[in-house]
Amino acid sequence: MVKKFVLPILLLSVAASGFAQEKVVADKIAGIVGDKIILKSELVLAIADMQRNAGGQEIKGVDECTILDNMLIQKALVLQAEKDSVPVSDEEVEAEVDQRIRNYINLYGGKDAFEQIAQRTVYQAKMDFMAPIREQRLADAMRRKVVQDVTVTPTEVKEYFEKIPQDKRIFYESAMQLDQIIIYPKASRDIEKLAIDELNEYKTQIESGQKKFEVLARLFSDDPGSKEKGGVIELNRSDSKSWDPVFFATAFRLKEGQVSPVVKSKYGYHIIQMVSRNGDDAVVRHILKIPQVTQTEIDETSKQMDSLRTALAGGAIQFGEAVSRYGDETQKSTAGQIMNRNGSTFLTISDLDKDMVLLLKESNLKPGEISKPSVFTDERNKKGVRIVKMLSRSEPHRENLRDDYDRIAARALDQKRSQALEKWFVAKIPTFYIMIDGEYRNCSNLSKWQMSPSTAGN
C-alpha cells in the first residue's frame, strides 16, 4: 500500500481527457466513499488519457483496479478535509484552473484550436476543471496535514540506507552545484537609437497598410520563441508575474488592431499589436529588437566583473550580496544558484549550456573557487558576462551517506510519510461509508477498503 500514496492522483486526467474522448454511452457507479461517487467512465477515460500521453503504448502496472484505488484514496482525503475544514481558497483554485487551460491552449496551438478540439468554449472548459482541481487541492492539503509533523533522525536515515542492497544503491554520474552572477553589457545610445528607429519604421509601414505585422515579425524580430509564428503571444491577466511589467501593461492597454509606440522591456525594444481580446485573455503580436553590444561594451563589463571577482575572493563582499546587488530578478530568486529543469541544484554536464561547459573545462574550478569573467550568449541571443563559483563537485560514485546524505534523507522521509499515511488510512477507512462495485471484487489492491462496515456492491 505504501507505493499508492506516492502515485499521482488521476482525477484531473478525467476532466482533461474529456476534451478529446467520446462520451461513454453506458455508465455505472464504480465506487463510493461517503457522498463522493466514482463513475466507471472516469476510470476508462483516465486510462485512455494516460495511454494517449504515452503515445498509445501500454502502461505497465496501470489498470482500472489501480486507478480506482487512487480515486478512492483521493475521495477519502477530500471527505476528511471537508470534515476538518481544511482551507482551500477560491482564488488558488481559479488560478490553477487558468494555468491549466493556458497550458492546453499552448499545447493545441491557440484558443480557437483548443475550443475546436475540446468542443466547448474556454469558459465551459474552466467550469469542467473547477471541481476536480478543488478536490485535488483538498486532498493535497489533507495529506500535508497528516504528515506535517513527520521527521526523520540521522539514525533512521542510516537504518533506511543500510537496508538497501549494495548492488541496488543508486549510481550517480559526476554532479556539481554552481552559483553565478551575470551582468549584461548595455548597448551604446547610438545602437539603441537605431533599434528604436527601425521599430518606428515598421510601425509606420504597418499602420499605412504597406506591410503586415506578422510578415515583418517573421523577417526581423529577435524573439526566437514567437518569430516563426508571426510574433504571436497569448496573454492572461492573472499571469502578469511571468511577463515583463512594461510589456504586459502596454499590451493590455491596446485596442484590437492597434499598434503600440516603441516600448522598452528587460529584453529589448518592442512594438506590440493587439490581435484579439476576450475578457482577461488576449492574443498579441510583437516585434523585438535587441540592440547589439560591441566589443567595447563587453570589455568594459568584463573589467567590472573582474573587480567584483577580486572583491569576492578577498571577502569584501559575499556572493549572495553580490547577486542581490548586480543580478537580475531571475538570479535573485535563486540567490544565484543554478538549477536544472527539475528544480535540482545537482547538475550534470547535460544540464549546462555549451558556454558553461567550456568555461568549466578551461578553468578546472575546485569547490570554493570563482572563475574569471566569461562571455556567453544566452537563450534569448543576448551577450552576457558571468563569473561562476563552484560550490561542490562529486566524482561518479555509488550512493553513500557521506556524499549523498540529503538525497537519502529525502527518500527516507518520503517513506516514513507514506507509512504515516498508511497508518492514518487503516484508522480512518472503517469510519467511511464505502461501496465498491462487484466488478472489482477480484482486485487484490482494493481488499483494504472492505475494512469498512459496508459491503461491496453486486
Side-chain angles (χ1 to χ4, degrees):
M1 183 173 176
V2 171
K3 290 185 179 179
K4 294 297 178 291
F5 292 113
V6 296
L7 283 173
I9 299 300
L10 302 169
L11 196 54
L12 280 176
S13 66
V14 174
S17 61
F19 294 161
Q21 304 287 340
E22 295 182 2
K23 290 184 178 180
V24 176
V25 177
D27 209 349
K28 66 177 180 179
I29 294 174
I32 301 175
V33 181
D35 61 352
K36 311 297 181 186
I37 295 173
I38 301 167
L39 299 175
K40 180 177 175 63
S41 61
E42 293 177 330
L43 310 183
V44 174
L45 289 174
I47 293 174
D49 187 59
M50 292 179 70
Q51 289 175 337
R52 182 163 52 85
N53 291 336
Q57 297 179 354
E58 183 181 354
I59 305 172
K60 294 182 179 180
V62 177
D63 53 24
E64 287 189 29
C65 293
T66 305
I67 303 298
L68 180 55
D69 190 19
N70 275 275
M71 288 185 174
L72 289 166
I73 290 171
Q74 174 133 332
K75 297 296 186 185
L77 287 165
V78 170
L79 204 64
Q80 191 64 42
E82 291 175 346
K83 182 179 178 181
D84 293 353
S85 299
V86 174
V88 171
S89 69
D90 292 340
E91 290 75 14
E92 63 181 291
V93 173
E94 290 173 6
E96 186 167 345
V97 169
D98 289 339
Q99 183 60 53
R100 287 181 182 270
I101 292 295
R102 285 197 296 276
N103 290 343
Y104 273 101
I105 288 173
N106 291 334
L107 176 66
Y108 293 135
K111 176 175 171 288
D112 292 341
F114 167 77
E115 291 185 336
Q116 184 176 0
I117 292 170
Q119 297 184 2
R120 66 198 78 187
T121 65
V122 166
Y123 176 80
Q124 290 169 331
K126 286 181 178 180
M127 293 303 100
D128 289 341
F129 269 109
M130 292 297 289
I133 286 180
R134 178 174 291 281
E135 282 205 350
Q136 185 187 50
R137 285 274 183 168
L138 282 168
D140 290 344
M142 193 65 226
R143 270 195 198 84
R144 289 193 295 270
K145 182 178 178 180
V146 172
V147 303
Q148 63 186 358
D149 295 326
V150 177
T151 59
V152 286
T153 65
T155 299
E156 289 172 321
V157 174
K158 185 173 184 291
E159 290 173 352
Y160 166 84
F161 180 69
E162 289 177 345
K163 289 178 182 178
I164 304 172
Q166 184 73 29
D167 61 342
K168 299 296 183 182
R169 293 173 183 173
I170 299 171
F171 183 83
Y172 293 113
E173 300 293 339
S174 178
M176 65 200 82
Q177 292 179 294
L178 302 169
D179 274 354
Q180 69 175 353
I181 301 172
I182 299 172
I183 298 179
Y184 290 97
K186 293 183 178 180
S188 68
R189 290 185 179 180
D190 288 342
I191 293 179
E192 287 198 338
K193 184 177 182 305
L194 179 61
I196 294 169
D197 290 345
E198 286 181 8
L199 288 169
N200 277 322
E201 177 60 25
Y202 300 154
K203 176 178 166 67
T204 299
Q205 293 175 357
I206 293 163
E207 291 178 333
S208 67
Q210 295 176 11
K211 299 285 185 180
K212 291 193 174 185
F213 197 110
E214 55 267 38
V215 173
L216 292 174
R218 290 191 182 97
L219 289 173
F220 302 115
S221 181
D222 291 333
D223 177 15
S226 68
K227 181 174 183 174
E228 296 305 317
K229 297 185 292 184
V232 169
I233 294 176
E234 295 181 354
L235 304 174
N236 181 279
R237 277 198 182 277
S238 64
D239 202 26
S240 60
K241 292 182 180 179
S242 301
W243 298 91
D244 178 89
V246 175
F247 179 94
F248 194 82
T250 301
F252 272 98
R253 281 198 296 266
L254 297 172
K255 298 177 181 178
E256 288 193 10
Q258 184 181 3
V259 180
S260 74
V262 177
V263 294
K264 184 178 182 180
S265 76
K266 64 183 178 182
Y267 302 107
Y269 292 91
H270 313 252
I271 54 172
I272 309 165
Q273 182 183 49
M274 177 63 72
V275 178
S276 63
R277 176 86 175 272
N278 182 15
D280 288 340
D281 295 309
V283 178
V284 302
R285 295 189 184 97
H286 83 124
I287 299 173
L288 168 67
K289 296 303 294 182
I290 302 174
Q292 297 303 302
V293 297
T294 67
Q295 193 60 46
T296 299
E297 288 87 42
I298 292 172
D299 290 344
E300 288 176 354
T301 303
S302 295
K303 288 180 181 178
Q304 179 186 358
M305 291 291 269
D306 195 49
S307 298
L308 178 58
R309 177 176 179 264
T310 300
L312 287 164
I317 186 173
Q318 298 301 308
F319 208 93
E321 182 185 350
V323 171
S324 179
R325 187 180 300 180
Y326 300 105
D328 59 20
E329 291 305 316
T330 301
Q331 295 174 67
K332 290 175 184 177
S333 67
T334 63
Q337 194 155 23
I338 305 174
M339 299 181 181
N340 63 19
R341 293 180 180 178
N342 298 321
S344 173
T345 60
F346 292 93
L347 311 170
T348 63
I349 290 296
S350 61
D351 294 320
L352 308 176
D353 62 70
K354 59 181 179 60
D355 290 325
M356 179 69 82
V357 172
L358 183 61
L359 182 156
L360 295 177
K361 183 178 179 180
E362 292 178 345
S363 60
N364 193 28
L365 291 179
K366 295 179 177 60
E369 293 182 345
I370 301 173
S371 73
K372 294 180 180 179
S374 176
V375 180
F376 75 106
T377 304
D378 71 7
E379 69 279 359
R380 297 171 294 175
N381 204 32
K382 286 188 68 173
K383 289 281 188 182
V385 182
R386 63 184 168 196
I387 54 177
V388 176
K389 182 177 182 179
M390 179 70 70
L391 300 179
S392 69
R393 187 169 197 160
S394 66
E395 296 301 320
H397 67 284
R398 187 73 65 180
E399 187 174 57
N400 62 77
L401 284 169
R402 185 192 65 187
D403 298 320
D404 310 296
Y405 180 87
D406 289 345
R407 302 183 196 187
I408 298 166
R411 298 206 309 274
L413 180 59
D414 283 342
Q415 184 186 76
K416 192 172 179 181
R417 284 174 173 170
S418 291
Q419 291 167 347
L421 278 166
E422 182 175 348
K423 184 178 179 181
W424 182 85
F425 265 94
V426 168
K428 285 293 179 182
I429 284 177
T431 70
F432 297 134
Y433 168 77
I434 307 291
M435 191 287 286
I436 298 175
D437 187 76
E439 179 182 349
Y440 304 100
R441 68 180 61 181
N442 294 324
C443 294
S444 60
N445 62 323
L446 299 181
S447 61
K448 58 184 173 290
W449 295 99
Q450 303 314 312
M451 296 167 61
S452 170
S454 62
T455 59
N458 294 322

